[in-house]
Amino acid sequence: MQKLSHNDHIDLYRHLSFCAVGGFFGCYAVLIHSGVMGNAQTVNLIELLLDALRGDLHAVLLHLGALVLYVLGTMLTVLLPHWWGWDMHYVSPVITAAAAVAVAFLPETLNTTANAVVSFVCAMQVQTFRKVRGHAYASTMCIGNMRSGT
């Protein structure tokens, strides 16, 4: 049996807390803001295709925007450390907390903005915290293909 170090326990607790945050953001986006899942891009892509087949341009653009922001958030977790040497294990929780506070104060009329924030934050979170005790595990639902190249 492998002996666990102090950092293994920290990684586990951090991951569990981000699972709770990811679940909160997912429920928040679906139940309160437009039904677009900020952390489940698989469902967003399916809904994007269904909306395109129905001819609902507004819904297609909403789902496409969530996808673009998810990809942007994923890319920034790689580019920010490369450009400025930032440790995303510290930066991502700060961005997540700021986003949670910002979204809490958004009025209901800004559903699209709230979903954009949720998509972006969930992407940063799942890309930053990809492993627990050496095992790959997503703290939010996501498409593995979007982040497999990084």
Side-chain angles (χ1 to χ4, degrees):
M1 179 185 283
Q2 182 182 6
K3 185 177 178 182
L4 298 176
S5 71
H6 178 66
N7 286 341
D8 288 334
H9 292 296
I10 291 171
D11 284 345
L12 176 64
Y13 298 140
R14 181 173 37 204
H15 183 77
L16 291 174
S17 65
F18 274 108
C19 284
V21 170
F24 168 78
F25 274 133
C27 288
Y28 176 81
V30 170
L31 297 175
I32 297 176
H33 291 289
S34 302
V36 176
M37 294 185 180
N39 61 350
Q41 293 304 315
T42 304
V43 173
N44 276 345
L45 290 177
I46 292 169
E47 288 183 1
L48 186 144
L49 177 64
L50 293 174
D51 290 334
L53 292 174
R54 282 189 221 115
D56 187 353
L57 182 61
H58 180 265
V60 168
L61 292 175
L62 190 64
H63 290 289
L64 190 60
L67 175 64
V68 168
L69 286 166
Y70 193 91
V71 170
L72 179 65
T74 301
M75 289 172 52
L76 284 178
T77 61
V78 176
L79 294 174
L80 290 177
H82 177 72
W83 290 336
W84 293 300
W86 291 357
D87 185 352
M88 292 306 293
H89 288 96
Y90 296 107
V91 175
S92 180
V94 170
I95 293 172
T96 301
V101 171
V103 167
F105 289 103
L106 288 176
E108 192 175 331
T109 57
L110 293 177
N111 287 340
T112 305
T113 304
N115 278 325
V117 171
V118 169
S119 293
F120 182 77
V121 167
C122 286
M124 291 190 82
Q125 176 185 324
V126 77
Q127 183 66 20
T128 300
F129 302 103
R130 298 190 304 180
K131 290 189 176 190
V132 177
R133 294 183 175 170
H135 300 286
Y137 191 81
S139 61
T140 64
M141 297 173 279
C142 68
I143 291 180
N145 293 336
M146 285 186 188
R147 64 185 182 112
S148 64
T150 54

